[in-house]
């Protein structure tokens, strides 16, 4: 038998002390587990497993499967496989150990808590955070009950939870846990203990990640002081603390301090490990990157070359870290203008990454991008284009997979990489246009990129949200699917040689995905990839589609300029047409977006520039001149235009842009606004099973405890981490006034609808509650065909300053008590909402009356044809690059509504009511289609003499 010598050793050691056969067997098992752990520490995993197998056989023979001894063997087997990186095997053994210990030892035993921790430790690297969180919470509660809140093991549990929340980008939850762990460690272990220093470091890293550099600096300095005092200035750990501080100062732009710290760390590690140690190559690279960023190529180049030589000697020429050195060198040579060496190093790095990491790895995509950039600089366009096409394909594939397991916030961050590559692509396109060079296939690639990314988060969120409305089996299948995709993402991030179970995971993921497509309505359409040819195929002779795009100009030099352009697609064209329009600063100046949108401002904006005016400065160009005139030469014979706006264009009503003293764009074209022209291929499907409407207006915003609706909330509440409670209280203030016109408005609309045979539910006063709104479409009930909300709407801009505030202790306001989530920064005010708005205590057991965009996005409005937001500034939201208005518009589309009417500025009460009643008469009584009825209503108001401020504030989005 293998390892018989181990058994003999164990036998001799324990024979004299063994009192019974059982106690002897127990000591055999314990001793073998200790040997297995020692082998694991030495990374001899195969031998560790063999020893554990022997221990398992003894435990099974002497005590059976449901015994504490066998549970210990299963626990150790899971631990070994976890360290080995075989997560599926580790999960199997840890699950078995947990179940045995739960049955044999009970749920308050510390060994059971260890099993919970170990199982969570399997799920965290796989990204299965939903499974890890309850395990860590249960383990924490056990240790709190058994050991108390001042035990180091309880502090470690707090720390593990904080790390998990950090991975989940939930800094609001992570921060107080680290603070509590730190306080316990300080009290029990002292300020010189490694665990205390670890908590300081984690807290510093968290603050650095959220941009709170001042607080991060204080904590990094404390960590450094502890390392210096305990270990001395010559210890490698002290050198690492210098590196951490240097990274912070580099982010802060303090290159002088960064350089001094890196040089000190380099000197320490060279004395400790010599100049040819791998860690020294890291020091050299860090310094080289600093000098490159400072533009000091003479200092950067020799450091890069020295780092390359060390890695070549230590790691060989087929290691990913060696490829990184080649890539860094190529970038320095590019900035120095030595293109011959640039190509050589980029080609070598690409070949290594393809062989060792595979094409799914982001480092390989970086190599493709770098080569394409070089070839564009050298006008080698035929060589650049296939690389750019491959970048687009691989990036989209990676992003598509990520939608299945990332949260909405994580996904938004993840797409920044794809967005950046899109900026590069469009900058190349602009450069070719400026240099009067053929665009090649770049317009087609740019249009496909817009189709995929512009509105992609919208479709991804819909797709992730859909299973939650289905059966429990579908929800479980969706969770399994997320787990498989997370596992695959973790494996693809490794070198090819280190990947495990990829084929098995891919098969399981594909099967789960097929089942979701079969069982969840709309799931397959959300997955479907749309290309520009698909959009073109939907266009008739007199139709055109426009994807407006905005991008940073970072080629051939990096600038701060953001350019707007149009990708125009027509029926007979071979590919989209790229048309540059203007720089964002010119539109921003014209919009004057920082000022209030009063009547004079709006009326001036939607008026042609005064050519006769005499001014010191040249008059600003009109909206028509900067936005539409460059397009007109390509629009001959075009009548209907489907367009998707971007950036600041979301703040414009294109219909209202004047082209002459008596004519607007709406008189020349039928303009149909879409979130993405992808909708021409996959339109929103509405059943229209019912002909009903829900109307909200005349709302009482003060709390009335004597007249509260008794309506119960039929769906789960959306409180907790994404509650309005976490919107920064300094952004609020004042109160919302009663809008008398909204009551007249909904009363008049109710009569119009009832005469047209529409069944109506009217919610007014204290009965227009958040509960009554959330109950729409609850429990898979059909949502109303029409949803009309006449109330106040709000939108907070992203407060960058809030990222610099922080907590000093838990009694003060947390840095995270703000609108970190963009869809908390816009919403609607419902009955009784003033109390929550002012930070007062709301009624116990009731919703707070502030209906955020995030909460709206969780509804089921798949049967709703039209949502009308007759509110102030409801069309506004956080403009997230090409993703569009990240607010109420996005929320209602995620929820499933087909058409939305919303406002761009504070439209006067009387004129709003007039527009709405006119629209409904034309739609419901005159039987016009929604777009025709809306445009006809605005035209009628314009023709009776109302100025743009009074009629152009509302837009229709399909």
């Amino acid at each position: 038998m293998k390892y018989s010598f181990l058994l003999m050793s164990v036998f001799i050691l324990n024979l004299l002390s063994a009192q019974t056969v059982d106690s002897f067997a127990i000591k055999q098992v314990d001793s073998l587990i200790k040997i297995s752990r020692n082998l694991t520490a030495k990374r001899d995993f195969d031998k560790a497993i063999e020893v554990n197998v022997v221990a398992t056989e003894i435990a099974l023979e002497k005590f059976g499967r449901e015994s504490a001894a066998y549970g210990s063997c299963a626990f150790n087997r899971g631990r070994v496989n976890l360290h080995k990186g075989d997560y599926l095997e580790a999960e199997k053994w840890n699950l078995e150990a947990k179940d045995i210990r739960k049955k044999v030892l009970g749920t308050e035993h510390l060994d059971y808590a260890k099993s919970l921790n170990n199982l969570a430790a399997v799920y965290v690297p796989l990204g299965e955070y939903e499974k890890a969180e309850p395990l860590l919470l249960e383990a924490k509660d056990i240790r709190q009950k058994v050991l108390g809140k001042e035990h180091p093991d309880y502090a470690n549990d707090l720390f593990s939870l904080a790390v998990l929340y950090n991975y989940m980008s939930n800094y609001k939850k992570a921060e107080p846990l680290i603070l509590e762990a730190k306080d316990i460690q300080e009290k029990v272990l002292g300020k010189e203990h490694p665990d205390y220093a670890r908590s300081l470091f984690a807290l510093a890293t968290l603050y650095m990640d959220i941009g709170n550099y001042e607080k991060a600096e204080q904590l990094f300095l404390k960590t450094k002081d502890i390392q210096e005092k305990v270990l001395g200035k010559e210890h490698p750990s002290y050198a690492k603390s210098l590196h951490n501080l240097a990274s912070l100062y580099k982010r802060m732009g303090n290159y002088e301090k960064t350089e001094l710290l890196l040089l000190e760390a380099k000197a320490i590690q060279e004395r400790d490990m010599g100049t040819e140690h791998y860690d020294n190559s890291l020091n050299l690279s860090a310094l080289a990157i600093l000098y490159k960023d400072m533009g000091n190529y003479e200092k950067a180049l020799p450091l890069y070359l020295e780092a390359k030589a060390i890695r070549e000697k230590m790691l060989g020429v087929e290691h990913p870290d060696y490829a990184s050195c080649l890539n860094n060198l190529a970038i320095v040579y590019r900035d120095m203008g030595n293109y011959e060496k640039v190509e050589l190093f980029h080609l070598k790095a690409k070949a290594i990454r393809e062989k060792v990491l595979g094409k799914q790895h982001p480092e390989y995509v970086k190599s493709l991008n770098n080569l394409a950039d070089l070839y564009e600089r050298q006008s080698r366009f035929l060589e650049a284009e296939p690389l750019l096409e491959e970048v687009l394909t691989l990036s989209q594939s990676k992003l598509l997979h990520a939608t299945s397991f990332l949260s909405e916030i994580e996904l938004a961050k993840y797409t920044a990489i794809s967005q950046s590559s899109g900026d590069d692509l469009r900058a190349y396109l602009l450069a070719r246009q400026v240099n009067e060079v053929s665009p090649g296939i770049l317009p087609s690639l740019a249009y496909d990129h817009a189709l995929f990314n512009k509105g992609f988060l919208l479709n991804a969120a819909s797709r992730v949200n859909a299973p939650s409305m289905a059966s429990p089996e579908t929800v479980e299948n969706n969770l399994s699917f997320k787990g498989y995709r997370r596992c695959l993402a973790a494996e693809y991030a490794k070198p090819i040689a280190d990947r495990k179970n990829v084929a098995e995971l891919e098969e399981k993921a594909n099967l789960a995905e097929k089942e979701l497509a079969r069982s969840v309505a709309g799931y397959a359409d959300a997955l479907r990839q749309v290309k520009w040819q698909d959009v073109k195929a939907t266009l008739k002779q007199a139709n055109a589609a426009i994807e407006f795009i905005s991008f940073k100009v970072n080629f051939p030099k990096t600038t701060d300029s953001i350019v707007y352009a149009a990708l125009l697609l027509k029926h007979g064209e071979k590919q989209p047409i790229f048309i540059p329009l203007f720089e964002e600063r010119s539109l921003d100046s014209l919009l004057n977006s920082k000022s209030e949108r009063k009547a004079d401002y709006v009326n001036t904006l939607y008026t042609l520039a005064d050519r006769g005016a005499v001014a010191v400065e040249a008059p600003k160009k009109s909206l028509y001149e900067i936005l539409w005139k460059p397009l007109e030469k390509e629009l001959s014979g075009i009548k209907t235009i489907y367009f998707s706006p971007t950036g600041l264009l979301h703040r414009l009503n294109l219909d209202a842009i004047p082209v002459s003293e008596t004519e607007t764009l709406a008189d020349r074209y039928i303009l149909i606004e879409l979130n993405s022209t992808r909708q021409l291929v996959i339109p929103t499907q509405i059943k229209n099973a019912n002909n009903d409407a829900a109307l909200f207006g005349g709302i009482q915003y003060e709390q009335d405890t004597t007249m509260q609706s008794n309506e119960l909330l039929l769906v789960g509440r959306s409180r907790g981490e994404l509650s309005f409670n976490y919107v920064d209280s300094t952004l609020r203030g004042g109160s919302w006034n009663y809008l008398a016109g909204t009551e007249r408005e909904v009363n008049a609309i109710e009569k119009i609808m009832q005469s047209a045979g529409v069944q109506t539910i009217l919610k007014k006063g204290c009965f227009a509650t958040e509960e009554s709104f959330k109950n729409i479409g609850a429990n898979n009930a059909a949502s109303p065909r029409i949803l009309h909300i006449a109330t106040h709407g709000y939108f907070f801009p992203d407060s960058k300053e809030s990222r610099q505030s922080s907590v000093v202790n838990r009694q003060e306001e947390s840095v995270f008590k703000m609108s970190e989530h963009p869809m908390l920064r816009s919403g609607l005010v419902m009955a009784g909402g003033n109390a929550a708005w002012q930070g007062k205590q709301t009624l116990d057991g009731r919703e707070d009356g502030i209906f955020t965009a995030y909460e709206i996005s969780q509804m089921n409005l798949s049967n709703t044809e039209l949502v009308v937001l007759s509110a102030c500034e409801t069309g506004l939201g956080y403009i997230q690059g090409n993703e569009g208005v990240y607010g109420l518009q996005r929320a209602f589309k995620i929820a499933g509504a087909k058409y939305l009417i919303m406002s761009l500025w504070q439209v006067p009460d009387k004129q709003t009511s007039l527009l709405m009643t006119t629209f409904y008469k034309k739609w419901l009584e005159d039987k016009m289609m929604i777009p025709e009825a809306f445009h006809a209503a605005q035209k009628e108001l314009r023709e009776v003499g109302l100025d743009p401020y009074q009629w152009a504030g509302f837009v229709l989005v399909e």
Side-chain angles (χ1 to χ4, degrees), residues 177-370:
L177 291 169
I178 300 174
L179 285 167
E180 188 178 354
K182 177 183 74 68
D183 290 348
I184 295 168
Q185 290 157 349
E186 180 179 350
K187 184 176 181 179
V188 178
L189 305 174
K191 289 187 175 182
E192 296 180 3
H193 195 276
D195 285 354
Y196 176 75
R198 181 187 63 170
S199 291
L200 291 180
F201 170 75
L203 200 55
T205 303
L206 183 149
Y207 289 137
M208 183 168 69
D209 287 343
I210 66 169
N212 190 348
Y213 298 142
E214 182 180 350
K215 189 69 176 178
E217 180 184 16
Q218 295 172 11
L219 292 165
F220 275 136
L221 285 169
K222 282 185 180 179
T223 307
K224 180 179 77 71
D225 291 343
I226 292 170
Q227 301 284 20
E228 179 182 349
K229 184 176 181 180
V230 176
L231 303 173
K233 282 191 170 184
E234 299 299 316
H235 197 277
S237 294
Y238 175 75
K240 287 181 181 178
S241 67
L242 297 176
H243 265 287
N244 297 328
L245 195 53
S247 297
L248 173 66
Y249 286 136
K250 188 171 184 293
R251 285 198 191 189
M252 295 169 68
N254 192 330
Y255 292 151
E256 184 179 351
K257 283 187 176 181
T258 305
E259 181 184 16
L260 291 173
L261 289 167
L262 288 176
L263 287 171
E264 185 181 354
K266 175 174 173 288
I268 293 168
Q269 291 182 319
E270 281 182 355
R271 286 194 296 269
D272 184 60
M273 295 172 287
T275 59
E276 294 190 356
H277 195 277
Y278 175 76
D279 284 355
N280 191 46
S281 73
L282 298 176
N283 290 324
L284 294 168
S285 293
L287 269 169
I289 292 169
L290 173 67
Y291 291 137
K292 178 185 75 66
D293 291 346
M294 295 169 67
N296 193 335
Y297 304 121
E298 289 75 15
K299 279 190 173 182
L301 185 57
L303 293 170
Y304 272 135
L305 289 169
E306 190 178 349
K308 169 179 166 291
I310 294 171
R311 292 187 187 180
E312 182 175 348
K313 183 177 180 180
M314 301 292 295
L315 306 173
V317 295
E318 291 192 349
H319 195 280
D321 288 356
Y322 178 72
S324 296
C325 271
L326 296 175
N327 181 75
N328 292 336
L329 270 168
I331 292 172
V332 171
Y333 281 125
R334 182 200 69 190
D335 292 344
M336 295 174 70
N338 190 338
Y339 289 160
E340 184 177 345
K341 287 189 176 181
V342 175
E343 182 176 15
L344 174 66
F345 286 135
H346 275 325
L347 284 170
K348 283 184 177 181
K350 172 179 170 289
I352 295 168
R353 286 167 169 169
E354 182 175 358
K355 181 178 179 179
V356 179
L357 301 175
K359 290 189 175 183
Q360 299 98 336
H361 202 281
E363 293 299 311
Y364 174 75
V365 177
K366 284 182 183 178
S367 285
L368 295 177
N369 260 324
N370 290 334

Side-chain angles (χ1 to χ4, degrees), residues 421-433:
S421 66
D423 282 354
D424 292 340
L425 176 65
R426 294 183 284 256
Y428 300 150
L429 190 50
L430 180 63
R432 291 192 190 187
Q433 179 103 352

Side-chain angles (χ1 to χ4, degrees), residues 347-622:
L347 284 170
K348 283 184 177 181
K350 172 179 170 289
I352 295 168
R353 286 167 169 169
E354 182 175 358
K355 181 178 179 179
V356 179
L357 301 175
K359 290 189 175 183
Q360 299 98 336
H361 202 281
E363 293 299 311
Y364 174 75
V365 177
K366 284 182 183 178
S367 285
L368 295 177
N369 260 324
N370 290 334
L371 272 171
D373 180 88
L374 171 66
Y375 294 151
E376 286 288 332
R377 291 174 187 276
Q378 295 180 305
S379 299
R380 296 162 63 179
F381 303 125
L382 293 178
E383 293 172 83
E385 287 176 6
L387 296 173
L388 292 170
E389 189 170 14
E390 188 177 0
V391 167
L392 185 66
T393 301
L394 292 173
S395 298
Q396 289 183 357
S397 175
K398 189 175 179 67
L399 193 53
L400 178 63
H401 280 68
T403 63
S404 63
F405 62 86
L406 293 181
S407 70
E408 193 175 345
I409 297 177
E410 290 172 322
L411 192 58
K413 294 177 180 178
Y414 200 78
T415 51
I417 300 171
S418 178
Q419 187 62 47
S420 176
S421 66
D423 282 354
D424 292 340
L425 176 65
R426 294 183 284 256
Y428 300 150
L429 190 50
L430 180 63
R432 291 192 190 187
Q433 179 103 352
V434 170
N435 293 321
E436 299 182 346
V437 175
S438 169
I441 66 169
L442 296 195
S444 298
L445 296 181
Y447 203 106
D448 283 347
H449 185 275
L451 287 174
F452 188 82
N453 286 271
K454 197 177 181 183
F456 176 75
L457 286 178
L458 173 68
N459 293 304
S462 300
R463 173 183 163 196
V464 170
N465 191 42
S468 67
M469 305 176 197
S471 65
E473 293 78 13
T474 304
V475 173
E476 183 62 32
N477 188 37
N478 189 44
L479 287 174
S480 297
F481 178 53
K482 287 183 177 184
Y484 298 142
R485 279 286 172 81
R486 279 189 180 127
C487 290
L488 281 169
E491 293 303 317
Y492 288 147
K494 300 175 184 176
I496 293 173
D498 295 338
R499 294 173 189 168
K500 295 180 177 67
N501 306 311
V502 170
E504 179 185 356
L505 287 167
E506 286 177 339
E507 182 180 2
K508 288 182 177 180
N510 290 335
L511 288 173
E513 189 172 39
K514 287 178 182 177
E515 178 58 26
L516 287 170
R518 185 194 65 79
S519 59
V520 180
Y523 196 91
D525 279 343
L527 287 175
R528 183 179 168 190
Q529 294 307 299
V530 173
K531 302 295 183 183
W532 69 269
Q533 295 95 330
D534 301 318
V535 177
K536 178 185 171 184
T538 68
L539 299 175
K540 297 178 181 179
Q541 191 68 38
N543 294 355
I546 299 176
E547 283 285 352
F548 288 106
I549 56 175
S550 55
F551 55 96
K552 291 182 179 179
V553 180
N554 48 20
F555 179 88
K557 291 182 179 180
T558 300
T559 72
D560 61 355
S561 175
I562 297 175
V563 166
Y564 282 60
L567 290 165
L568 174 65
L569 190 55
K570 296 190 291 185
H571 178 77
E573 294 293 333
K574 293 182 179 180
Q575 73 167 339
I577 302 168
F578 175 73
I579 305 171
L581 297 174
F582 54 85
E583 283 193 87
E584 183 173 77
R585 59 173 63 98
S586 63
L587 181 59
D588 194 32
S589 173
L590 193 61
L591 285 176
N592 193 20
S593 57
K594 292 182 180 179
S595 68
E596 291 189 54
R597 301 187 158 210
K598 299 299 184 183
D600 290 346
Y601 158 69
V602 172
N603 292 330
T604 301
L605 181 65
Y606 289 96
T607 303
L608 288 174
D610 184 4
R611 300 298 175 193
V614 178
V616 177
E617 296 181 11
K620 294 177 181 177
K621 290 185 177 181
S622 66

